[in-house]
Each structure stands twice: as structure tokens, then as C-alpha cells.
Amino acid sequence: MKAFSSLQIAASILLLSSLVAAMATTKTKSSSSRVMHNRRQQSYDTAIIKSLHSKSKQSSSRRGFISSCTAAVAVSVLATPLSSHAMPLPTQTSDVKNDLQSYSYYNTSPTNLDTHLIASTQLQEKITPPTLTAFQESISGFISGTAVSTIKTLVKYPLDTATVRLQMPNTDYTIRNLPMLFSGSFDGIVAPLLSNIPAGAVFFAVKDATKTALKESGIPLPKLALTSAAVAVAIPPYWLLRNPSEVVKTRIQVRAEGYYEGMSTIDAFKVALAQKDGNTTTNIAGGGLSELYQGYSENVLYGLPADIIKFVAYDYLTGGKGKASVSPVEGAVYGALSTAIAQLSTTPLDVLRNRIMAVSREDHGMDENMSYVERLVKIAKEEGIEELFAGSTPRVAKAMLSGAIQFATYEETKQKIGQFFLKQ
């Protein structure tokens, strides 16, 4: 009996010892797991604190930095030795997102993490936006210029007719007699439609390509010089294409000798080519083409300051935001103001060029040897300074309408074409 009691006691002690050892082992393992878990939590916290500290000047929001913290978190986790009781190592982006979700500290989900990653990518694209090449700029400028020239010519033509008629010397037209001033106001519109479309397309193609090429060349030009240089390069080829139709249009509008109301464009060109040069009737081979380029130099000298003022004023009004940041409404408003400023300030140059184009070379009443400035002075002396600003009212109205159409259409069309190129 005593032996049995001794065995029973010994067995009890052994069982108790086993239970104590098991409890100690469990406690040790649990303590080890908590230690490893705490080390892992500290690694995550350290990575986040470092990232937040480096980004604190940019934002106070923890969520805004999740995308930048992901890499640091992954590195810290991989560098931490884990026991068999610790959580599995996150080795891929999906594991990182699932691991982050298990911690309420981050208070984010995989969907939100994707959103942050996408937002970070979009922000980077805004900081360094993709740009078009000089060739792509020329193509987009060509198409945009075509659209602009077509719409402008159709809409502003009646006001252009009124302006030209008021600028002629000893004119019978007056702003007080609007029916007479605007009668047959669409006469001769076919000629500018045929030439203004390719001329406008070439102008914007050359201007945009030149501007892009100058930027890519690395020459440190200020914005004013950059715009002026691009316009100066684009003006001569523009008037080379437009001048013949401008001569014919002007003569039809003012009912010059040999031109009449309702005259067809073909007949008007025939009359211009048959004009007399001195005492000799010219033809295409003998010099009739020179009649179609009457006033070419005056058109270039007028176009340079007019377009430079217009585009520089537009860049200033838009704050240099560029085409991608200017809405069609903003383009219309700023375009109208900048064009009105440019057209009003260059009205004397417009008066001179229209008078020269309106009549044949032998009839314009000015000495061929007179300089550009001398011709302006002659008009001011003989007719008064106010005649240098004849037609200002319809001219400014035309300018505002033309500028609004030009920049609204141009910016919208160019943005769409630019987006098409960047998607390719």
C-alpha cells in the first residue's frame, strides 16, 4: 500500500513537473512571438516615421505617403529575422498590401493603396509632362491653323469689308450709313478662303515648329524673344501665299476701277493680271504677277508687329500657362483682348497697306522711292492724323471676334491633336 502511494506520489510530481514545463515553454514561446511581433511593428513604425519625416514639408497626411512608404516597409520586413511563430515575409506587392491591411494603424485598404499609387504616378506626370517633337508641333499647328483660318474668314469678313472701305482716301462710305457700308459685304470671299486656309496652316506650322526647335536648342531666350522670333520666321511665307488673294479681295471690296459688285474671283484675277504696269499692258509672263504681289512688303511690315503684339499679349494674359492649361473659354477671352490691342495699335500700318493694294501700281499716288515712314507722314500731313486710324471701330470689333475664334479654336484643336500624338 505504501509502495503504491509512493508510486502515485512520484507520478503526480512527474505530471506536475511536465505541466509546469509545458506552461513555461508556452509562456516562453508566447513571449518570443510577442517580441518578434513588436520588433516587426517597430520596423514598420520606423519606416513610416522616416518617410513621414522626409515628406513632412509636403503634407501632414499619412495616407498621402503610403505609396512612398511601401518600398521602405518591404525592405524593413525583409531585413527582420522572424521565427516560425512570426508572420510570413511579404515578398510581393500583393503581400505588402495584404500585410498593411492587417494593421489598423495604417487604416487603409488595397483599393486605397492602388488609388495612392495612381495619384502618385499622375502627380509625377504633371511635374514632368510629356512634350511633342518639333515635327509633331508643326503637324498639329498646320491642322489647327486650317481650322482657325476657315472659321475666321467666314465670320469676320463683313467687318473686314467695312474696315477697308472706310480706310480709302476720299471714300463715300461712312459709319453713319450702315446699309451702304455693308452692302455686298461678302463679295470676294472666295479668294481669301482659297488662300487663307493654306496660309494660316503654314503660319502656325512654321511658328510652332520654330518655337519648339528654339526651346530644344538650349538657347536661353526669354519668352518675349522666343515668341517674336517664331512669328518673324512664319510671317514671310504666310504673306507669300496670301498676298494675291488679299489684293483681289481688297479691290473687290472697295469697287476699284475694273471691279464691280458680284464679280467672280476668276474674273477679278484676270483683271488684276491684265493691269497696266506703266504704259505697258502686262500678262502673266511679262509681269502681271507683280500686280498680285502689290503691297507684299507693306503686308510683312504690318504683320510682324501686329502678330508679335498679339501673341506676346496673349502669353502675358494667360500667364504663360501653355496650351495644355488654357480652356477654350479662357482662350476666347484672352484672345479677343490681345488681338484688339494688336489691331488698334497697328491701324496706321493697315491703312497704308490697304491703300497700296486697292489700286494698280501706277495709280496708288505715291512715289515708289518714298520710304515706309514717309508714306505714313504724307497721309498724316495731307489728310490729318485721324485718317491713319480710319476704320478703327469695325477693325477693333473684327479683331475681338477674330481673336476669340482664333485662340479658342486653336487651343482646343491643338490640345486634341497633342493628346492624340502622346497616346501613340
Side-chain angles (χ1 to χ4, degrees), residues 132-135 137 205-234:
L132 301 180
T133 64
F135 176 74
E137 286 284 4
V206 174
K207 181 183 77 70
D208 291 344
T210 301
K211 199 169 185 178
T212 302
L214 288 174
K215 287 181 180 178
E216 293 175 350
S217 67
I219 301 175
L221 291 175
K223 195 173 187 65
L224 174 62
L226 193 66
T227 301
S228 301
V231 171
V233 173

Side-chain angles (χ1 to χ4, degrees), residues 157 160-161 164-165 167-168 187-188 191-192 242-256 259 299 353-359:
Y157 198 80
D160 181 68
T161 299
V164 173
R165 288 174 175 176
Q167 290 177 344
M168 293 301 105
D187 288 350
R242 181 178 170 181
N243 208 90
S245 67
E246 190 74 2
V247 169
V248 170
K249 170 194 77 74
T250 302
R251 294 180 182 181
I252 294 176
Q253 286 174 326
V254 301
R255 308 283 196 269
Y259 300 83
N299 282 328
R353 76 182 187 96
N354 281 329
R355 288 191 177 191
I356 291 175
M357 289 190 296
V359 294

Side-chain angles (χ1 to χ4, degrees), residues 249-285:
K249 170 194 77 74
T250 302
R251 294 180 182 181
I252 294 176
Q253 286 174 326
V254 301
R255 308 283 196 269
E257 184 179 355
Y259 300 83
Y260 52 88
E261 184 175 354
M263 189 177 192
S264 70
T265 301
I266 295 177
D267 290 339
F269 271 100
K270 288 180 179 179
V271 171
L273 291 171
Q275 293 286 343
K276 293 182 179 180
D277 186 6
N279 295 320
T280 306
T281 301
T282 60
N283 50 40
I284 295 178

Side-chain angles (χ1 to χ4, degrees), residues 397-414:
K398 178 189 71 173
M400 296 189 71
L401 186 61
S402 173
I405 294 170
Q406 173 175 329
F407 286 98
T409 306
Y410 177 75
E411 295 291 359
E412 180 69 10
T413 306
K414 197 158 179 61

Side-chain angles (χ1 to χ4, degrees), residues 374-385 388:
E374 288 174 340
R375 294 180 180 186
L376 289 171
V377 171
K378 181 180 179 180
I379 294 174
K381 283 184 177 180
E382 295 181 357
E383 304 176 39
I385 295 178
L388 291 176

